[in-house]
Amino acid sequence: MELFAKSEVNTGRQFELDLAKVLCFLQMVCIHCLEELLAPSAQEASKVYQFVVLQMNVFLGTAVVFMLCMGACISYSGRNSPEYLISRGCRLFFLGYLLNLLRDAIPTLIAHFLGHSPFSYVAVLFLTPDILQFAGLAFMLLGFLKKHNLSDKTILAISLAMSLVGSFVRFIDMGHYVTNCFAGLFFGTVDSLYPDLAIGFFPLLNWFVIVVIGYLYGKLLRHCTDLNRYYKIVTPFSAVILLFYAAFIIPKHLGEMGSDINFYYQMSTPYVFIQFFSFVFLTGLFHFLSKPFSSFARKIITNIGMNITPTHCIHWVIIGWTKIAFIILGFEWQNATQLLLLAVLIFVVSTALANIYKGILQKQKKQIA
C-alpha cells in the first residue's frame, strides 16, 4: 500500500503534536525561569543554564517546534479560512502587547517608583516584540496570501525568499530603541543601549517560513495512510542528520550554537531546515513513546495542548511579577537546579489556571446562547 494517498485519510487530531507542544512548553517554562530569575553571576557559572538555555533550547528549537506545530495545526483545523486566520492574527498580535504590559511594563513601573528600575525600561519592555506578535503577523500574512488564492508552492517560495533576505538583513541597530522594536517585528534588530531588551525576537522575515513549512507538512500528513510506517522511516533518518549536524557545529560553537543567542532568534535559512528535521525527529519519537499512554493521560495532554496560548500568557505573568519581586527585595536566586523545580510548579499552576479560564469562557458562552 502506498504511504501517501491522493485523498485525505489522516484527518484526526495528531496526538504527537499535542505531546510535542506540552513537553516543549515545559522546557520553555524552564528556559524562561533560568533566563529571568537566575542571578546573572549564576548564569555564567551554571552548567545547567548553559545546557538548558544555550544548547538544548537552540539545538531542539523549542520555539521552532511550537511554530511548526502551529502551522501543522492550521492545516488540521476546521477554522482555517483566510478571514479567520487574519482575524486570529490580529487578536494574537495585540495580545502580545497586552502580555508585555501585564508581565513587564506594569511591574517594572512599580519597581521604578520604588527606586529599583529606570523609567525607560517600562517603554522598552512594553514595545519589545515577542512570539505572540510574530504569531499574529504570521497568521495575518498566511491569511492574506490564501485570500489571494496563491498556491502552496507560491506561498512556500515567498516564505523562502523572505527567509533568505532575513538571513542577511539581521543584527541591525536602527539607532533608537523604539525604531528597533518596531523594525524588529519584521527583520532582526539589536540595540546597543538595551542589548538584552530591544532585540528583534522572532522577526517575520526569518520565522514565517517555519509556519509555512509546518502548514504544508500538516497537509502532507493528512494524506498519510500509515503513521507507524511513516515515522519508522523518517525518525531515524532525522536523527542521523541531527547527529551529523551536532558533531560538526556544537564543538566549534558556530552560528546558532555559539554564545550569541541572537543567531537563534534571527535564524538563517539553512538552520530552518535543521530545525525541521529536529521537529520530525521529536514528533516521530513522541508518536512511539505515547503508545502506552492511557486515555486519561491523552485527555490531559490534549487539553493542555489546546490551551497553550492562555497557559503561555499566565506563566509569563507569574515569572514577570516574580522577577520584579526579587529585584525589589534584593534577592538573587543562585541555584539553577532548584529553580527548575520552581519552573515545574509554575507550569502546573499555569496549566491549571488556563483550564479554569477556559471553563469560565465556556460557561459564559452557554449563558449567552
Side-chain angles (χ1 to χ4, degrees), residues 350-366:
S350 300
T351 54
L353 290 176
N355 195 54
I356 293 173
Y357 171 75
K358 179 182 178 181
I360 293 173
L361 286 183
Q362 290 177 341
K363 186 176 180 180
Q364 289 178 341
K365 288 181 180 179
K366 289 181 180 179

Side-chain angles (χ1 to χ4, degrees), residues 44-347:
E44 295 179 4
S46 172
K47 292 183 178 179
V48 172
Y49 176 87
Q50 299 294 322
F51 178 73
V52 175
V53 177
L54 299 179
Q55 294 180 12
M56 292 302 295
N57 174 33
V58 177
F59 181 63
L60 294 179
T62 309
V64 179
V65 170
F66 264 105
M67 292 300 101
L68 285 166
C69 284
M70 186 180 84
C73 289
I74 290 174
S75 67
Y76 272 92
S77 174
R79 297 183 296 177
N80 58 12
S81 67
E83 292 76 17
Y84 175 79
L85 293 177
I86 294 172
S87 174
R88 186 179 178 189
C90 289
R91 293 196 300 271
L92 285 173
F93 183 77
F94 289 109
L95 178 61
Y97 287 108
L98 176 61
L99 177 59
N100 283 359
L101 181 69
L102 295 176
R103 73 172 174 182
D104 288 321
I106 292 177
T108 302
L109 183 63
I110 294 173
H112 165 71
F113 286 128
L114 295 175
H116 295 281
S117 179
F119 181 76
S120 59
Y121 271 32
V122 177
V124 174
L125 290 168
F126 173 69
L127 294 174
T128 299
D130 207 339
I131 198 166
L132 285 180
Q133 285 90 333
F134 160 72
L137 290 174
F139 266 102
M140 286 188 277
L141 180 55
L142 182 59
F144 174 81
L145 296 176
K146 286 171 62 69
K147 189 175 181 65
H148 286 77
N149 297 315
L150 297 183
S151 67
D152 289 342
K153 291 182 179 179
T154 302
I155 293 175
L156 178 61
I158 291 172
S159 68
L160 284 171
M162 291 171 62
S163 177
L164 288 170
V165 172
S167 299
F168 295 97
V169 184
R170 56 180 181 167
F171 316 131
I172 296 175
D173 190 338
M174 303 292 290
H176 193 278
Y177 69 86
V178 174
T179 309
N180 283 327
C181 286
F182 283 110
L185 291 166
F186 304 99
F187 59 85
T189 58
V190 294
D191 194 285
S192 57
L193 188 58
Y194 303 100
D196 297 324
L197 300 179
I199 183 178
F201 290 117
F202 312 108
L204 186 66
L205 279 177
N206 304 72
W207 283 71
F208 181 62
V209 66
I210 296 170
V211 176
V212 171
I213 290 175
Y215 170 69
L216 298 180
Y217 183 67
K219 294 185 73 172
L220 176 67
L221 286 181
R222 290 175 68 92
H223 292 266
C224 184
T225 59
D226 188 341
L227 283 178
N228 286 326
R229 182 181 161 205
Y230 169 73
Y231 281 125
K232 284 180 181 178
I233 296 171
V234 300
T235 305
F237 175 76
S238 301
V240 170
I241 291 178
L242 290 175
L243 287 173
F244 273 107
Y245 172 77
F248 172 74
I249 200 167
I250 291 180
K252 298 181 179 180
H253 301 289
L254 298 175
E256 285 78 7
M257 296 305 299
S259 59
D260 188 352
I261 202 165
N262 289 359
F263 279 91
Y264 171 70
Y265 288 117
Q266 303 175 25
M267 67 178 61
S268 61
T269 305
Y271 190 66
V272 169
F273 290 98
I274 293 296
Q275 289 293 284
F276 173 69
F277 285 115
S278 175
F279 170 74
V280 173
F281 169 73
L282 287 175
T283 51
L285 181 65
F286 295 155
H287 173 79
F288 291 112
L289 290 178
S290 64
K291 290 289 186 181
F293 283 22
S294 66
S295 58
F296 179 71
R298 287 175 175 268
K299 183 178 180 180
I300 291 176
I301 291 170
T302 299
N303 185 62
I304 297 174
M306 294 173 65
N307 290 336
I308 284 295
T309 299
T311 308
H312 172 82
C313 294
I314 292 169
H315 102 275
W316 256 131
V317 171
I318 294 173
I319 292 175
W321 282 86
T322 302
K323 178 182 179 179
I324 291 300
F326 285 179
I327 292 174
I328 293 174
L329 295 173
F331 175 76
E332 291 190 338
W333 197 302
Q334 298 290 338
N335 191 304
T337 304
Q338 292 176 355
L339 190 55
L340 291 180
L341 297 177
L342 176 63
V344 173
L345 176 61
I346 291 175
F347 170 81

